[in-house]
Amino acid sequence: MPREGRAALPLEGRVAVVTGAGRGLGRAEALELARLGAAVVVNDLGQPGRDGSGDASPAPAEEVAADIRAAGGRAVAHTGDVADHERARELVESAVAEFGRLDVLVNNAGILRDRMVFSMSEDEWDSVIRVHLKGHFNTIRFASAHWRSRSKAADAPVYGRIVNTSSEAFLAGSAGQPNYAAAKGGIVGLTTSTALALAKYGVTANAICPRARTRMTADVFAGSPEPREGVTDPLAPEHVAPLVGYLASPAAARVNGQLLVVHGGMVAVVERPRVAAKFDTKQDAFTYDELDALLTPHYADRPPGETFAAAEVLGLTHE
């Protein structure tokens, strides 16, 4: 409940889980959700370390949860691996056990193992698919069951928000990231399927493609210019977090099954694929010769590098 004399915050009384929230993008998202009033379960696999003096330092998730509590919010840490099915179950259950419910799930946890497809090892493929795509599925699996159960018990829709993390690597076809691009494309398919499946229960699911300078993307943006002193970094995670807060809020009730690109003071809504051309056989079934006569001229004048990938998204900037 809002304190007397203060207007209610958009996420007042809501409970959120943010995965991969110990650093970078997930940390900024967890802090933003807390600022908007949500109690937050901060998930990150990072373990305790040592500070500059050699003393033990808390796990990253514990640090972020402590920052939220120090600012007057409510937060607990969870250090399980969301790519592990049972740890993901425990994560959702921990939100319910600690705060009585779950309202918002933000999937952000991920890793990079970049390599060209002809050089990629099986483990480099499997590990990225496991953390990104399976990790998203695992948490959605248990969060959606929680919301479905609550909706059936109430015989009415409940409040649920899922924000998944895709990438421009999927949209633009990143040549050196076949594992990452495939996982992020899979997340979009998972998002749209989930959006349709859960709408009747009052739950929305959307995906964002953020561009941010974090520890995970340090090599990706190594060539990007560093921000000038006193100027906000266009690649700062703080440019992304407000959109996550909005998609988690009641105001976004009609935003469902959408894909949005966000970075540097800009949000772009990505249009769904549309049919560019359609060909019908003049016989009972297509033959090779008929397809050759139809498709070869169709592609003859297309730019040689043009594919289904939308490389133009990489040129989006704040104006």
Side-chain angles (χ1 to χ4, degrees):
M1 296 292 291
R3 291 188 292 273
E4 186 175 353
R6 178 176 65 80
L9 295 169
L11 296 178
E12 193 86 51
R14 304 296 182 187
V15 178
V17 164
V18 184
T19 73
R23 301 180 178 89
L25 198 53
R27 178 182 183 274
E29 292 166 349
L31 293 174
E32 176 70 3
L33 294 177
R35 189 187 70 80
L36 295 175
V40 184
V41 180
V42 180
N43 165 265
D44 195 277
L45 190 55
Q47 299 302 309
R50 298 282 175 180
D51 61 23
S53 64
D55 294 333
S57 60
E62 295 283 0
E63 290 186 333
V64 176
D67 288 343
I68 290 173
R69 293 192 296 269
R74 297 184 298 158
V76 295
H78 181 275
T79 57
D81 178 5
V82 293
D84 182 299
H85 204 58
E86 287 307 305
R87 300 294 83 75
R89 182 200 300 271
E90 291 172 3
L91 173 59
V92 171
E93 290 177 348
S94 70
V96 178
E98 185 69 29
F99 300 116
R101 58 192 291 142
L102 174 65
D103 301 290
V104 178
L105 170 64
V106 178
N107 281 309
N108 172 75
I111 61 172
L112 289 178
R113 298 291 185 270
D114 294 352
R115 202 174 301 279
M116 299 298 286
V117 68
F118 43 76
S119 303
M120 182 162 287
S121 70
E122 182 180 17
D123 180 67
E124 288 167 338
W125 174 271
D126 288 348
S127 60
V128 169
I129 298 297
R130 176 183 180 272
V131 174
H132 287 273
L133 186 52
K134 186 182 179 186
H136 273 62
F137 160 73
N138 284 345
T139 55
I140 290 172
R141 161 65 179 84
F142 297 113
S144 62
H146 167 74
W147 288 318
R148 179 175 180 267
S149 177
R150 279 175 48 198
S151 177
K152 285 185 172 294
D155 193 26
V158 296
Y159 186 102
R161 300 285 188 269
I162 299 171
V163 182
N164 291 330
T165 306
S166 183
S167 170
E168 291 170 294
F170 146 68
L171 286 171
S174 180
Q177 298 180 301
N179 48 3
Y180 184 68
K184 292 307 192 181
I187 286 168
V188 173
L190 174 62
T191 301
T192 54
S193 174
T194 300
L196 292 174
L198 300 186
K200 66 181 179 180
Y201 302 117
V203 180
T204 67
N206 294 286
I208 63 171
C209 294
R211 192 186 303 177
R213 196 192 309 271
T214 67
R215 191 177 66 160
M216 189 181 85
T217 62
D219 292 339
V220 176
F221 295 122
S224 301
E226 292 291 331
R228 302 189 309 275
E229 185 175 352
V231 177
T232 302
D233 184 357
L235 295 174
E238 287 72 21
H239 284 297
V240 177
L243 177 61
V244 173
Y246 167 75
L247 292 173
S249 76
R254 291 180 57 84
V255 184
N256 193 30
Q258 301 299 305
L259 180 65
L260 302 98
V261 176
V262 53
H263 59 81
M266 179 220 74
V267 173
V269 178
V270 179
E271 189 174 32
R272 63 184 176 85
R274 297 185 181 276
V275 177
K278 176 178 176 290
F279 302 95
D280 297 300
T281 181
K282 298 186 182 304
Q283 307 166 81
D284 290 337
F286 273 117
T287 64
Y288 168 85
D289 289 337
E290 189 179 16
L291 288 170
D292 180 25
L294 292 170
L295 293 178
T296 301
H298 176 74
Y299 284 104
D301 296 327
R302 300 281 287 273
E306 183 180 271
T307 70
F308 185 76
E312 61 270 20
V313 298
L314 299 179
L316 292 172
T317 59
H318 171 57
E319 297 178 359

